[in-house]
Amino acid sequence: MDIEKLLKEMTVEEKAALVSGTDFMYTNPIPRLDIPSLCMSDGPHGLRKQTDSGEGGVSMAEQATAFPTAAATASSWDPDVTRRMGEAIAKEARHYGVHTLLGPGVNIKRNPLCGRNFEYFSEDPLLAGVMAAAETEGVQSQGVGVCMKHFAMNNSENYRFLGNSVASENTVRRLYLKPFEYVVKRAKPAALMCAYNQINGVFCSENKWLLTDVLRDEWGFDGVVMTDWGAIRDRVEGLKAGLDLEMPGDTAICRRWILDSVADGSLPMQALDKACRNILKWIDACVRPAETAPVDWKAHHALAAELAAECAVLMKNNGVLPLCGTEKLHITGELFENMRYQGSGSSMINPTVVTTTADVFRERGIKSVTLDACDTVLVFAGLTDEYESEGCDRENMRLPQDQLDQIDALCGSGKRVIIVLFGGSPVELPFFDKVDAVLNMYLPGQNGGTAVAQLLYGEKNPSGKLAETWPLRYEDVPSAQTFGKQLTEVYAEGTEVGYRYFDRHRIPVRCPFGFGLSYTTFAHSGWEKCGDVYRETVTNTGSRAGAEVAQLYIDGELRGFKKISLAPGESKTVEILPEPADNTPYPDTYTVPAEPQRFPVTLESRFTDLQQTFLGRRLYNFTMKMPKKMEAEAQRLPEGPEKDNKIKAAQFMRRMLESNSPRTLTMESGQTFPYNYAQAFVELTNGHLFKGIRLFLKKINVPKLPKDKKVD
């Protein structure tokens, strides 16, 4: 592709189309110049390629392998896990004609209640960066691009469309930008997705400091910058700031703004050309025909189990694990049959098959006896989909009360109690001292049941380490009092997030960052500095083969790590060249703005704020009929995965609509809810009846898209 020649031949109308997406997951083709469309798909722990059925929505996707989510894979502390997963996902992407995967997500886990923490790696920027870079390398090694997300400071869900993350430059750079920087410099992702939120009052989609000064000029990023779906506010300012592609596109108003601004000279052609050039380079590098060879789905299913076993964290063991096979088990808990293996939201995968622990136990002939003929109780507990999902933050850090009551009762039975835990984020474990073992599977993917059985019976040795701190109680978290409570989110704790905070202030935790037990034991010689390198010898002092993670901390921060496998009695010396410290004296101050007024409503108001007036309530209720109808239809379906997925999709849509604004709703809805409708909603809510009606009748005139024009 001769990009410079194409730029000279393209019309302004064609350029305005190229920098806008179409049909929700594609770039606009330019048939006249033989410029193809590039296809994207949600990730990051599997492929969610939407079907062409016309129904859309997160429940309608081609079948693909659901691998363990980032909360799990980070706990492996092994970049080979995410690299191998990335390679497999990319093969499935090529099979379905997908050219770029929307992931991985590398945002820092600032607070355990973030509803999307299951999709993020860690509270530590180095661990997050290393794992994300390996996944990026795995995907891109197969010719599929990666779009890293969400850049930046997207650390909560309640106000993610509008929220203002207020923090000092020191905090932003030393913690929240670090994993992005690591991946950009080490793995060179094809694309990067900017977040919805503001940083110190400037939306990420038009933040020149973020998208150009830091990302391109300092870090050397030369790929495409796209918006999260609906994250554009001012299309022209976005182009000037370094934003290339608006997604999902099909917004007539954005093309109108571009065409008018080029015509009046307020948008330099160089800025538009720069965005087009980046997109054309991306298309040239990634667009290729779909693979004709079939995917080895069985091999990928087996890989999902293998990786899940690598990620599991044994958080407690009083010697009851591994099971020997002669135990009389009483098996209970809803997650035994209905294993929670993935999160809810845009990353929800339509799995090729799901293998639960119940499936594996039935296959092996392992049966449950009553609580009385039993000596050991297996409890399958954890968070269900209604408790954590993209689109909203969790209300608390507790397990469901019925589960807590059941576990308390079982602990009083005199039996040995083993907890198998599922979920995407830490929970309070008030029963921890009463039970005999806790095996944390996080969200292990579609073949998690196989991994659970292998780990419980000692066929695999747990080797995962926590990639996040598990506090004793939520009140101990530094941002507990303010997190997710209002639009302005003040990062008052600075860089004291996770273990940095708990260690520095000597606050007891349930299980610390980097913690995880094994069925064998290890001895560490301690780190010795030899020039620029640090060395430590690790010995397996137990009777089983196992894997251990050597972790190097300097001045209280993780600066390097390596996972090693050791036979009984074997020793290995680990050498680590620590990541260099950033000693730049960044400003450590910030200004807290006043919280915006809720009325009168504006294009930037939360959609729920429309309910403040009679007309606003009518408009709000009318809009919310859609997810209610979807859920009602789903409830009428027979029990099974299709029903579960459609219910999750309806609940996700409800959460998303509630937290949207009129502006973000129109920017992610394309032709369904055009910009003038959003303006009309605002005016009608504020009591301006005739102005609102006129806006409903207004038409935004733009030329036909290039794909809709006849080519001679």
Side-chain angles (χ1 to χ4, degrees):
M1 182 183 288
D2 189 335
I3 291 172
E4 296 307 315
K5 182 175 182 290
L6 287 172
L7 283 173
K8 290 176 182 175
E9 294 179 354
M10 288 173 71
T11 66
V12 177
E13 293 176 6
E14 289 169 335
K15 291 177 182 179
L18 186 64
V19 299
S20 172
T22 190
D23 296 329
F24 208 71
M25 282 288 179
Y26 297 82
T27 61
N28 263 299
I30 315 291
R32 184 180 71 85
L33 298 173
D34 295 323
I35 297 172
S37 181
L38 180 143
C39 175
M40 291 162 267
S41 171
D42 275 317
H45 48 268
L47 200 68
R48 192 181 70 80
K49 171 66 164 65
Q50 288 188 259
T51 61
D52 296 325
S53 64
E55 295 184 52
V58 296
S59 68
M60 302 305 298
E62 302 282 6
Q63 285 194 317
T65 308
F67 288 99
T69 71
T73 55
S75 301
S76 72
W77 288 61
D78 184 358
D80 192 49
V81 164
T82 51
R83 184 177 290 107
R84 293 171 67 198
M85 182 180 78
E87 290 172 357
I89 293 172
K91 289 175 182 176
E92 296 184 16
R94 292 182 64 174
H95 173 72
Y96 284 123
V98 171
H99 307 123
T100 291
L101 183 77
L102 301 176
V106 303
N107 295 86
I108 292 294
K109 297 185 180 186
R110 176 180 176 236
N111 184 290
L113 297 192
C114 175
R116 209 169 183 178
N117 273 353
F118 67 88
E119 234 181 279
Y120 299 143
F121 290 105
S122 179
E123 66 191 29
D124 181 81
L126 177 61
L127 181 55
V130 170
M131 301 304 287
E135 181 173 351
T136 299
E137 291 167 350
V139 173
Q140 297 196 158
S141 71
Q142 304 300 308
V144 176
V146 150
C147 180
M148 180 170 55
K149 59 187 185 183
H150 306 89
F151 193 57
M153 307 289 282
N154 184 170
N155 308 111
S156 66
E157 291 292 293
N158 283 349
Y159 291 91
R160 69 167 175 159
F161 290 105
L162 306 162
N164 185 12
S165 298
V166 176
S168 70
E169 185 177 350
N170 186 66
T171 297
V172 175
R173 282 184 176 270
R174 291 193 189 282
L175 189 58
Y176 296 99
L177 296 190
K178 280 295 177 186
F180 292 96
E181 180 181 11
Y182 188 96
V183 179
V184 165
K185 291 182 175 179
R186 304 297 179 96
K188 301 188 183 308
L192 181 143
M193 183 189 294
C194 81
Y196 292 104
N197 54 278
Q198 307 169 64
I199 298 178
N200 294 322
V202 182
F203 281 97
C204 292
S205 62
E206 54 199 64
N207 194 319
K208 181 180 178 296
W209 174 81
L210 183 71
L211 303 184
T212 296
D213 299 350
V214 173
L215 177 65
R216 294 195 187 278
D217 296 345
E218 289 186 27
W219 299 351
F221 179 73
D222 63 354
V224 164
V225 176
M226 70 177 74
T227 65
D228 204 336
W229 268 227
I232 196 71
R233 191 185 75 100
D234 185 316
R235 187 63 186 101
V236 174
E237 288 304 309
L239 282 164
K240 292 178 181 177
L243 177 76
D244 301 314
L245 179 65
E246 169 220 348
M247 292 300 296
D250 287 328
T251 50
I253 191 66
C254 288
R255 284 198 290 140
R256 184 73 268 158
W257 286 337
I258 291 172
L259 295 173
D260 290 348
S261 297
V262 169
D264 67 21
S266 58
L267 175 63
M269 185 61 78
Q270 303 94 288
L272 183 57
D273 281 351
K274 186 183 292 185
C276 290
R277 184 178 291 110
N278 289 332
I279 293 168
L280 290 171
K281 283 167 52 182
W282 177 41
I283 291 170
D284 191 40
C286 295
V287 173
R288 60 184 69 193
E291 290 285 329
T292 54
V295 173
D296 190 341
W297 300 109
K298 287 185 178 180
H300 286 190
H301 187 61
L303 177 62
E306 182 183 341
L307 300 184
E310 289 288 327
C311 303
V313 182
L314 185 60
M315 296 173 67
K316 182 178 182 179
N317 188 19
N318 285 345
V320 297
L321 289 177
L323 299 173
C324 64
T326 60
E327 294 88 356
K328 296 177 181 178
L329 300 175
H330 177 67
I331 305 169
T332 186
E334 63 177 305
L335 297 182
F336 177 60
E337 289 280 358
N338 300 312
M339 177 184 71
R340 183 151 180 260
Y341 59 94
Q342 66 173 332
S344 289
S346 61
S347 65
M348 192 172 68
I349 295 152
N350 182 12
T352 55
V353 64
V354 176
T355 302
T356 68
T357 315
D359 295 329
V360 179
F361 275 28
R362 278 192 288 269
E363 185 179 305
R364 295 185 177 200
I366 301 169
K367 297 180 179 178
S368 176
V369 300
T370 63
L371 183 60
D372 292 338
C374 90
D375 50 49
T376 304
V377 179
L378 278 180
V379 186
F380 290 78
L383 296 173
T384 55
D385 288 308
E386 61 190 290
Y387 287 91
E388 63 175 345
S389 168
E390 178 184 349
C392 65
D393 296 315
R394 289 159 60 198
E395 294 181 3
N396 55 61
M397 214 179 86
R398 298 190 295 273
L399 283 170
Q401 190 59 47
D402 60 338
Q403 293 188 22
L404 294 174
D405 293 342
Q406 181 190 38
I407 292 169
D408 272 347
L410 291 168
C411 287
S413 69
K415 313 292 184 178
R416 295 179 295 187
V417 178
I418 299 168
I419 307 293
V420 181
L421 201 60
F422 297 88
S425 199
V427 292
E428 294 170 359
L429 301 173
F431 50 78
F432 193 80
D433 293 333
K434 301 176 186 177
V435 301
D436 295 278
V438 177
L439 178 64
N440 180 11
M441 297 302 299
Y442 276 105
L443 296 177
Q446 67 180 45
N447 202 0
T450 297
V452 171
Q454 291 172 333
L455 291 161
L456 288 176
Y457 284 94
E459 297 154 24
K460 293 286 181 74
N461 192 346
S463 62
K465 307 290 183 184
L466 293 175
E468 58 195 330
T469 305
W470 280 55
L472 282 167
R473 54 182 194 157
Y474 180 61
E475 289 77 12
D476 293 336
V477 175
S479 55
Q481 298 303 313
T482 58
F483 177 79
K485 298 288 197 301
Q486 60 183 23
L487 187 143
T488 303
E489 186 78 30
V490 181
Y491 290 53
E493 73 281 358
T495 60
E496 290 192 357
V497 170
Y499 71 88
R500 289 169 170 79
Y501 171 78
F502 291 103
D503 290 354
R504 192 165 298 166
H505 297 279
R506 299 184 179 180
I507 297 173
V509 299
R510 177 64 69 197
C511 290
F513 175 84
F515 173 80
L517 300 172
S518 170
Y519 295 153
T520 189
T521 54
F522 299 95
H524 294 251
S525 66
W527 292 103
E528 292 184 353
K529 193 170 187 294
C530 307
D532 294 332
V533 173
Y534 285 76
R535 290 195 182 110
E536 178 183 65
T537 299
V538 183
T539 304
N540 184 342
T541 56
S543 59
R544 288 174 177 262
E548 177 67 326
V549 181
Q551 304 172 36
L552 173 64
Y553 296 85
I554 300 175
D555 296 329
E557 294 192 0
L558 182 70
R559 297 279 291 281
F561 62 91
K562 187 171 184 180
K563 192 170 191 176
I564 51 172
S565 297
L566 295 166
E570 184 181 12
S571 296
K572 286 183 182 177
T573 298
V574 176
E575 289 192 352
I576 291 178
L577 179 65
E579 285 298 308
D582 184 354
N583 297 315
T584 309
Y586 301 116
D588 205 16
T589 58
Y590 55 87
T591 301
V592 181
E595 190 73 1
Q597 297 294 314
R598 291 183 61 213
F599 193 83
V601 300
T602 70
L603 286 169
E604 302 303 324
S605 296
R606 205 167 189 259
F607 204 65
T608 49
D609 287 344
L610 269 63
Q611 300 175 91
Q612 295 175 90
T613 68
F614 173 76
L615 279 176
R617 281 192 297 276
R618 298 293 296 271
L619 292 168
Y620 175 82
N621 290 333
F622 175 78
T623 306
M624 297 304 292
K625 282 182 180 178
M626 191 187 304
K628 288 180 181 177
K629 181 182 177 184
M630 284 176 60
E631 185 161 8
E633 291 174 349
Q635 293 289 0
R636 291 194 289 268
L637 292 171
E639 295 297 325
E642 184 184 4
K643 177 178 180 177
D644 293 342
N645 284 344
K646 290 202 170 185
I647 290 173
K648 291 176 190 176
Q651 293 172 342
F652 173 60
M653 178 176 281
R654 174 181 56 77
R655 295 181 183 116
M656 295 290 280
L657 285 173
E658 289 172 344
S659 56
N660 253 295
S661 70
R663 185 259 306 170
T664 54
L665 189 58
T666 187
M667 293 302 180
E668 67 184 17
S669 301
Q671 301 172 29
T672 308
F673 188 69
Y675 191 71
N676 54 297
Y677 281 23
Q679 292 174 306
F681 268 44
V682 168
E683 296 299 338
L684 290 172
T685 300
N686 291 334
H688 306 149
L689 181 61
F690 295 111
K691 190 173 182 180
I693 292 172
R694 284 197 300 271
L695 282 165
F696 266 127
L697 299 174
K698 181 181 178 181
K699 184 171 176 60
I700 301 168
N701 294 311
V702 287
K704 283 184 177 181
L705 287 169
K707 66 178 182 178
D708 296 328
K709 293 181 178 180
K710 286 187 176 181
V711 179
D712 294 329

